[in-house]
Amino acid sequence: MPGAGGQWPWRGACRDRAMAGLELLSDEGYRVDGRRAGELRKVRARMGVFAQADGSAYIEQGNTKALAVVYGPHEMRGSRSKALHDRALVNCQYSMATFSTGERKRRPHGDRKSSEMTLHLKQTFEAAILTQLYPRSQIDIYVQILQADGGNYCACVNAATLATIDAGIPMRDYVCASSAGFIEDTPLADLNYVEEAAGGPQVALALLPKSDQIALLEMNSRLHEDHLEQVIEAASKACKDVYAVLDQVVRDHVHEVTTLLGE
Amino acid sequence: MAPPVRCCVPGERLCSLEEGAAGSGTYTRHGYVCAALAGCLAKTSEDGALPVVSVVRDAESQLLPDVGAIVTCKVCSINSRFAKVHILYIGSTPLKSAFRGTIRREDIRATEKDKVSQVEVYKSFRPGDIVLAKVISLGDMQSNYLLSTAENELGVVVAHSEAGAQMVPISWCEMQCPRMHSKELRKVARVQPEFLQT
């Protein structure tokens, strides 16, 4: 019924789509890809993918694939006037491969969305890296999305965390990110592309799990303030689940490296 | 049988501040020492003072030149006012990517810096020389690292003559080419005898 729910007009739109055959949350509580409301997609990650970079990592969250490469800390390149006298400068670049989306992407980087993501990444990592140890130097973080299936920013943050740990740059804590949405009074964790394109509210949360500090919180669309706490709670729990997986990956990598060196 | 190595990850709480002091690769938060790197835990027990807790990684992370450090650099260009160098080694650790530094004319020598007997950069360094210098400043917005060779132990250690042969130092301000027997002016470093290879 178009227009049903006068205060929340998009609810009607969701029901329209539901009638068209695309139910984001079925009556039994299953989402389009068969997950439960609070369940994450399968996370697979590897560290030390490139030998020539200081740190690198590859992560797959469901069908979203992201690659992160970290260089640094090194001397400021380019304009020396941007150097900070007491901290390191974190320089990020976010780009999507031209083959990452359904239709060939015209501009891999430099468009508005990429610039905004770049700024978000920079803000997130300036909160986590101990930049006071490297005054007047620069740390570069380059992230590329190889396949985009929702949760692009979150996959980037998780990949960049692993790459920074691989590069040996001191960090306060891991930075784990996850997205969350709100469909039919239920918060959903880790949205995929179909759920993001549906147009409902989406929250992206980047968290430092040990201290429960939020590095970045971003929301699209509209959400009633009564539901905000539930959604943030779901996103936090999803971040902690991601943290458990990333922690295991890092520990395995460190064990492997130390046994190879024979320490 | 070596004791089991304890691996830690960033953010992990290692011990409280009463049990250990924070070393490299760690930071303090709310009275606890937490790891900042992913690596192995190393505890050095000193007598009297608290043991220093640090996290060691397999590969050395990048070192940055600090004020007062002795660095080995290569001269890339000279000017009447300064010499521009690439910093290659800090102490004895090589750098993965070279930093840029500047040795100003007034920092080349400790004595005779005044206006009457002007120090000439051309008579102290040439492009391609390997120089031992000390970092005196991290520099500000416009400049690179500022270095100084104003000590007896600092200055040119390896230089090639115009003929291409490696020169031998004969005094604090002259080096001689073994092939052509020509003397060239450099600000020579007085290397300690135990470091010389004969």
Side-chain angles (χ1 to χ4, degrees):
Chain A
M1 294 134 274
Q7 283 167 294
W8 298 286
W10 64 88
R11 257 223 194 143
C14 280
R15 292 234 177 82
D16 277 347
R17 247 177 239 111
M19 280 195 256
L22 193 65
E23 264 186 337
L24 292 177
L25 192 67
S26 76
D27 298 324
E28 293 91 40
Y30 291 109
R31 291 151 77 174
V32 278
D33 48 7
R35 287 185 282 154
R36 289 271 172 199
E39 206 179 313
L40 293 181
R41 293 175 287 182
K42 185 171 168 99
V43 178
R44 268 172 295 201
R46 259 186 15 234
M47 290 169 66
V49 205
F50 290 130
Q52 59 266 43
D54 291 335
S56 55
Y58 170 75
I59 197 169
E60 281 180 26
Q61 269 184 252
N63 287 329
T64 302
K65 301 180 165 74
L67 189 61
V69 173
V70 171
Y71 291 96
H74 54 237
E75 202 185 4
M76 286 289 301
R77 308 254 167 88
S79 60
R80 209 156 286 114
S81 55
K82 282 200 221 140
L84 303 162
H85 67 281
D86 58 343
R87 288 177 286 141
L89 183 75
V90 177
N91 176 37
C92 297
Q93 195 194 43
Y94 166 89
S95 77
M96 295 181 70
T98 48
F99 45 81
S100 62
T101 47
E103 285 189 355
R104 187 168 193 271
K105 203 158 167 55
R106 284 297 203 82
R107 270 186 88 180
H109 49 257
D111 59 324
R112 290 258 297 255
K113 191 75 184 149
S114 296
S115 307
E116 190 189 0
M117 292 275 216
T118 301
L119 220 53
H120 286 327
L121 272 176
K122 184 179 148 82
Q123 190 183 340
T124 309
F125 280 92
E126 272 178 357
I129 296 179
L130 296 173
T131 47
Q132 294 85 353
L133 297 174
Y134 302 108
R136 301 185 43 85
S137 65
Q138 183 178 332
I139 297 174
D140 295 320
I141 303 179
Y142 300 123
V143 194
Q144 182 159 58
I145 299 273
L146 300 175
Q147 191 170 317
D149 186 36
N152 297 337
Y153 168 74
C154 305
C156 283
V157 168
N158 297 331
T161 296
L162 289 180
T164 313
I165 294 178
D166 189 41
I169 296 178
M171 293 221 290
R172 202 160 277 127
D173 196 358
Y174 286 65
V175 188
C176 301
S178 178
S179 55
F182 195 75
I183 300 283
E184 289 175 25
D185 295 331
T186 323
L188 300 180
D190 198 12
L191 306 172
N192 59 20
Y193 179 73
V194 172
E195 290 160 350
E196 278 184 2
Q202 307 164 30
V203 162
L205 177 73
L207 191 72
L208 272 67
K210 280 265 167 62
S211 42
D212 255 334
Q213 289 175 323
I214 296 180
L216 187 119
L217 176 62
E218 184 203 18
M219 199 186 92
N220 286 335
S221 188
R222 272 188 296 181
L223 181 69
H224 196 279
E225 63 172 311
D226 293 343
H227 305 310
L228 184 63
E229 194 173 330
Q230 277 183 303
V231 174
I232 292 187
E233 195 53 52
S236 294
K237 185 174 175 309
C239 286
K240 300 219 169 95
D241 292 338
V242 170
Y243 167 64
V245 178
L246 295 186
D247 194 35
Q248 194 52 47
V249 169
V250 172
R251 282 182 197 273
D252 289 344
H253 182 77
V254 173
H255 269 290
E256 192 183 304
V257 170
T258 45
T259 47
L260 275 177
L261 286 178
E263 271 190 349
Chain B
M1 169 81 167
V5 175
R6 189 181 149 194
C7 299
C8 48
V9 290
E12 193 175 323
R13 215 178 280 177
L14 299 175
C15 65
S16 73
L17 273 174
E18 286 113 44
E19 292 161 32
S24 76
T26 61
Y27 68 98
T28 50
R29 191 168 172 272
H30 295 329
Y32 285 97
V33 176
C34 304
L37 295 177
C40 308
L41 192 60
K43 227 174 192 173
T44 54
S45 43
E46 294 167 35
D47 355 276
L50 279 176
V52 177
V53 175
S54 58
V55 180
V56 180
R57 257 175 64 90
D58 48 312
E60 282 301 316
S61 55
Q62 179 77 303
L63 256 180
L64 280 189
D66 205 7
V67 177
I70 307 286
V71 297
T72 307
C73 38
K74 185 174 187 156
V75 180
C76 49
S77 67
I78 58 174
N79 186 321
S80 61
R81 284 179 295 132
F82 49 79
K84 288 237 188 255
V85 302
H86 280 305
I87 302 177
L88 303 172
Y89 285 75
I90 299 179
S92 44
T93 37
L95 290 178
K96 274 182 282 190
S97 55
F99 286 81
R100 313 209 74 220
T102 307
I103 306 180
R104 290 180 305 173
R105 184 175 67 189
E106 47 267 23
D107 298 325
I108 295 178
R109 271 200 265 165
T111 53
E112 292 180 3
K113 285 197 289 193
D114 53 334
K115 209 150 166 41
V116 180
S117 51
Q118 288 256 358
V119 177
E120 281 199 46
V121 182
Y122 191 64
K123 293 185 182 158
S124 317
F125 303 126
R126 292 288 172 89
D129 291 351
I130 306 291
V131 174
L132 265 178
K134 183 191 273 199
V135 180
I136 49 176
S137 162
L138 299 178
D140 57 358
M141 290 224 310
Q142 274 79 29
S143 63
N144 309 323
Y145 288 94
L146 279 181
L147 311 170
S148 155
T149 53
E151 272 175 39
N152 290 337
E153 284 78 27
L154 303 175
V156 175
V157 276
V158 174
H160 288 265
S161 70
E162 277 157 29
Q166 187 167 330
M167 293 197 287
V168 175
I170 47 181
S171 81
W172 69 274
C173 60
E174 278 190 339
M175 288 182 120
Q176 189 171 30
C177 169
R179 218 191 289 166
M180 301 282 121
H181 300 291
S182 58
K183 292 186 190 166
E184 289 185 29
L185 293 171
R186 296 284 200 278
K187 198 271 175 193
V188 186
R190 185 183 66 187
V191 184
Q192 302 298 328
E194 58 259 21
F195 294 131
L196 283 174
Q197 227 180 7
T198 37

